Amino acid sequence: MTAIIHSDTPVDRIAAPARVQVARRVRGLSDRAIAWLFVAPTIALLLAINIFPLIWMIRLSFTSLNLSMSYLPLRFVGLDNYSDILTDEDLWTRLQTTASFVISSVAFEVVIGFGLALLINRQFRSHSFWTTIILLPMMLSPAVVGNFWTLLFQPQIGPFNYVVGLLTGIAPSSFSMTGEVALAPWTIVLVDTWMWAPYVMLICLAGLRSIPDYIYEAAEVDRASSWRQFWSITLPMTMPFLMLAVLFRAIENFKMFDMVNLLTSGGPGSTTELVSITLKRAAFEKWRTGYSSALAIILFVTVFGAANIYVKALNRVKQR
Amino acid sequence: MTAVAKSTAHSVVEASPRVKAFAGTVVILYAVIAILPLLWIAATAFKSQSDAIAYPPKVLFEPTLEGYVNLFTVRTRQTREFIAGLPAATTWYDKLVRKHDMVIAGPSKVVPRFINSLVIGFGSTFLAVLLGTLAAYAFSRFRIPLADDLLFFILSTRMMPPVAVAIPIYLMYRQLNLTDTKIGMILLYTAVNVSLAVWLLKGFIDEIPREYEEAALVDGYTRLQALRKVVLPQAVTGIAATAIFCLIFSWNEYAFAVLLTSGDAQTMPPFIPFIIGEGGQDWPAVAAATTLFVIPIVLFTIVLRKHLLRGITFGAVRK
């Protein structure tokens, strides 16, 4: 913020003709008024659509409200919902399912995305065309992606099993990617990686391009091996970008609902039932609004807390 | 790439032809494999019902528009005699349907759902970009108390799982009679998009030198005039890129749509998986809907190429 644009600074008073001063007083608003006028609608909308409902939900989380029995009077049950959730072993299993989904999908995305970025950064001919092709999956609707992969994974008619059959000799109809307890958790990781490895790639590419050439030139003068250059220059200098990508992906996958809901809808059994799907069932199928409000708040606090810790770590890496 | 690297052909950072060939081969191989599922869906849209469920899966087949016809129509099965008694089919799609002993009973719901997607998408994008531009300008140019906290608050509204947000919104909309209405969905998507819009646009506006506005203010423009005649024209690219990102979000969104709409305001993503034929999902029709739904996204991705990075990181990474 430079001083010049503040109407009350001496510079402005000297520079602007008197006419402007009058005009501004008559037609214009003060900068301060404009600032608030411009920010207010956004804040008001977020208060109405995000914060007010959040506060309402906090209140509901202390009640036993069930929308399928909404004729019952609203009864406050204190922390019962919270203690129910935290002592529910099934729910801890759901959280474990979610955690292993987040960890494995992000790990694959980082390895593939970073690998692709390193290769694309070699600037071979037509690399920007192929980069755009690779980016397409992440722009699609996760729900639509989940839906069409169910076709690709059909044991009989789907091309995925057929190709696996051709490559390995296993009979295509002998396994079901979405229907088997052993395979389904990997299936959602596979589709998520297909969709989001390009995301990590794009961010890593920006990191690689931010490294100035002269550092590599100096390393070359010092006869550092390319292995050494990778560990001492490329990786540390791309690290903040990589960690940013991991942060965004981890938050998004912790909240994952749409793609998995359509691909496996949590099944078979509950092997791929991520915590968002549990929440949806509690809130919109069993209509246990009080209970699911408490669960929603626990999830929000978890994401928020984890993200804050992570951002602190990210800043520490940046400072190095 | 800096100018230095380009000018020196034998720079140490320039990869050798052999490395480039290897890198190119691996990347192109990945791209081809990654794009195959999409091509398969685009091809399935042109398959007949029996080709779509053939074993082994058919790569070569006789293309037909049945999938698209089925997507846009509702059909009823009739006896041969009944069809023979009807006046002769005049249009190509009538003929196509009657080959399978069916008669077109009317249009399907796909067009209204598509229109819902467009109305809700453009409505929420317009509002989010409008609010976002104003707020971003204020954050960029004025000293706002607790600006960083406010910006973080705006971003943090995105961290809630959508299913969690939907619970109180569902209750609130029920009270306000906004359930399954386009207005309700537009407001909700605007609230989600405005955080992205503020963060992205603040980045774009930060990059416009202040000197232009200052000159305009000295020339007697008011703040608002300077914004309209000096800043906005220079921010057009950024505003357009932001708008496309908002549009893509609304277009693709599923969780809110499936939980809060059931008919009047239903958009394409919750509709597509429930395109049912005789005996389960009508795959050619589903594939046709998916193809039509995805084409605008492909075009937008190409248009947005230069700004993608900014968009997906909320402006955290710029180049």
Side-chain angles (χ1 to χ4, degrees):
Chain A
M1 176 67 49
T2 51
I4 306 168
I5 55 169
H6 273 288
S7 54
D8 54 352
T9 57
V11 183
D12 193 59
R13 227 173 274 158
I14 299 160
R19 189 171 52 81
V20 182
Q21 295 282 319
V22 177
R24 215 177 275 171
R25 213 164 292 146
V26 177
R27 292 180 295 146
L29 296 152
S30 76
D31 282 0
R32 202 174 185 176
I34 292 176
W36 284 115
L37 214 60
F38 280 12
V39 176
T42 298
I43 301 295
L45 181 75
L46 291 175
L47 285 177
I49 304 281
N50 286 98
I51 300 308
F52 171 67
L54 181 69
I55 292 168
W56 194 357
M57 190 160 74
I58 293 174
R59 183 170 166 266
L60 288 178
S61 73
F62 298 114
T63 70
S64 62
L65 179 64
N66 185 322
L67 282 189
S68 64
M69 293 181 279
S70 50
Y71 47 84
L72 293 175
L74 199 62
R75 198 164 56 83
F76 282 85
V77 294
L79 290 169
D80 280 7
N81 287 325
Y82 289 92
S83 61
D84 280 358
I85 290 166
L86 294 175
T87 54
D88 182 355
E89 272 184 35
D90 278 355
L91 200 86
W92 285 103
T93 320
R94 301 293 98 79
L95 282 171
Q96 274 170 23
T97 309
T98 311
S100 29
F101 168 69
V102 171
I103 292 167
S104 13
S105 59
V106 174
F108 279 112
E109 281 152 25
V110 163
V111 171
I112 296 176
F114 192 58
L116 283 172
L118 282 174
L119 293 171
I120 289 172
N121 201 36
R122 295 292 164 207
Q123 317 263 327
F124 56 88
R125 218 147 39 93
S126 74
H127 67 94
S128 68
F129 169 78
W130 292 105
T131 309
T132 311
I133 295 283
I134 290 177
L135 290 175
L136 280 179
M138 75 169 189
M139 304 300 287
L140 304 178
S141 167
V144 169
V145 166
N147 180 49
F148 75 63
W149 274 93
T150 59
L151 169 64
L152 303 172
F153 284 136
Q154 297 279 324
Q156 285 280 347
I157 62 173
F160 184 88
N161 284 31
Y162 188 72
V163 171
V164 171
L166 280 185
L167 295 177
T168 63
I170 301 167
S173 52
S174 68
F175 65 100
S176 163
M177 291 297 286
T178 55
E180 268 170 50
V181 173
L183 291 175
W186 294 106
T187 304
I188 58 174
V189 170
L190 173 71
V191 177
D192 196 75
T193 307
W194 174 78
M195 215 176 153
W196 294 108
Y199 178 94
V200 180
M201 176 196 88
L202 192 61
I203 294 177
C204 287
L205 208 48
L208 292 173
R209 288 185 178 155
S210 73
I211 305 174
D213 287 346
Y214 66 80
I215 298 188
Y216 287 110
E217 281 158 2
E220 204 69 30
V221 171
D222 291 342
R223 301 187 172 223
S225 67
S226 35
W227 185 246
R228 183 74 204 276
Q229 285 181 26
F230 175 79
W231 287 106
S232 308
I233 304 170
T234 312
L235 195 61
M237 293 194 76
T238 331
M239 197 47 95
F241 291 83
L242 201 59
M243 288 186 75
L244 188 77
V246 169
L247 170 72
F248 277 81
R249 282 315 321 145
I251 292 180
E252 285 302 312
N253 276 3
F254 185 77
K255 304 190 311 193
M256 167 61 72
F257 170 70
D258 33 20
M259 187 271 280
V260 174
N261 190 46
L262 279 156
L263 189 58
T264 64
S265 53
S270 54
T271 36
T272 57
E273 190 177 315
L274 305 179
V275 76
S276 272
I277 296 178
T278 310
L279 182 61
K280 180 239 173 185
R281 288 188 175 155
F284 293 95
E285 283 167 23
K286 299 173 187 156
W287 299 105
R288 297 175 66 186
T289 308
Y291 174 89
S292 49
S293 297
L295 178 54
I297 284 157
I298 291 175
L299 292 183
F300 181 54
V301 170
T302 313
V303 183
F304 206 72
N308 268 315
I309 295 168
Y310 194 94
V311 168
K312 285 210 180 92
L314 183 69
N315 285 334
R316 203 172 302 155
V317 172
K318 261 188 190 160
Q319 278 162 8
R320 261 202 291 159
Chain B
M1 261 300 100
T2 58
V4 182
K6 268 179 191 155
S7 61
T8 55
H10 299 288
S11 155
V12 289
V13 281
E14 180 86 18
S16 71
R18 202 149 28 111
V19 170
K20 278 190 183 186
F22 169 76
T25 314
V26 177
V27 171
I28 292 171
L29 203 66
Y30 178 89
V32 169
I33 293 173
I35 207 70
L36 275 178
L38 285 178
L39 296 179
W40 187 268
I41 295 303
T44 303
F46 290 104
K47 286 182 178 176
S48 67
Q49 190 74 44
S50 52
D51 281 347
I53 56 170
Y55 177 81
K58 281 193 175 178
V59 178
L60 294 173
F61 55 92
E62 201 183 323
T64 164
L65 284 172
E66 269 173 43
Y68 285 92
V69 171
N70 289 358
L71 172 63
F72 284 99
T73 60
V74 174
R75 300 152 312 282
T76 52
R77 184 163 287 283
Q78 302 291 352
T79 57
R80 291 258 160 88
E81 297 76 51
F82 177 83
I83 291 175
L86 290 173
T90 47
T91 57
W92 60 270
Y93 47 87
D94 270 326
K95 286 174 191 159
L96 207 59
V97 170
R98 285 189 193 183
K99 262 196 274 179
H100 299 280
D101 299 334
M102 305 260 235
V103 176
I104 292 176
S108 74
K109 283 181 182 160
V110 71
V111 174
R113 297 299 181 263
F114 212 84
I115 291 172
N116 283 348
S117 271
L118 287 173
V119 171
I120 293 170
F122 278 98
S124 62
T125 300
F126 173 77
L127 283 177
V129 171
L130 179 72
L131 297 183
T133 309
L134 295 179
Y137 179 76
F139 278 118
S140 173
R141 293 301 197 250
F142 302 122
R143 192 176 294 137
I144 293 175
L146 301 173
D148 286 345
D149 295 317
L150 274 179
L151 279 168
F152 185 72
F153 158 70
I154 290 173
L155 182 66
S156 69
T157 57
R158 279 279 273 242
M159 287 191 192
M160 282 289 268
V163 184
V165 179
I167 296 169
I169 294 279
Y170 177 85
L171 292 167
M172 187 166 90
Y173 276 16
R174 226 168 48 146
Q175 297 279 320
L176 299 170
N177 283 327
L178 284 173
T179 317
D180 203 13
T181 61
K182 294 188 195 71
I183 296 287
M185 294 312 283
I186 289 174
L187 282 176
L188 184 54
Y189 286 175
T190 305
V192 181
N193 272 332
V194 82
S195 58
L196 176 72
V198 170
W199 276 71
L200 280 186
L201 284 165
K202 182 177 178 297
F204 282 114
I205 295 174
D206 280 344
E207 283 166 17
I208 301 171
R210 286 151 193 264
E211 284 74 20
Y212 297 120
E213 277 161 276
E214 286 159 16
L217 291 175
V218 171
D219 283 349
Y221 279 45
T222 62
R223 264 283 172 196
L224 294 178
Q225 285 171 326
L227 169 63
R228 209 178 53 196
K229 294 185 180 153
V230 180
V231 180
L232 288 187
Q234 293 192 68
V236 159
T237 322
I239 292 174
T242 307
I244 297 179
F245 275 110
C246 294
L247 195 57
I248 291 179
F249 171 83
S250 309
W251 189 252
N252 284 345
E253 208 286 329
Y254 170 79
F256 291 133
V258 78
L259 297 175
L260 299 171
T261 69
S262 48
D264 288 345
Q266 196 184 45
T267 50
M268 287 292 275
F271 176 73
I272 291 175
F274 292 97
I275 300 171
I276 312 273
E278 288 178 319
Q281 264 181 321
D282 183 348
W283 280 113
V286 170
T290 304
T291 310
L292 292 179
F293 182 76
V294 162
I295 286 173
I297 299 293
V298 173
L299 297 179
F300 279 148
T301 307
I302 294 165
V303 172
L304 271 183
R305 226 174 32 229
K306 285 194 186 123
H307 300 291
L308 269 185
L309 188 61
R310 237 182 223 262
I312 59 169
T313 59
F314 278 67
V317 184
R318 285 185 189 160
K319 196 62 218 169

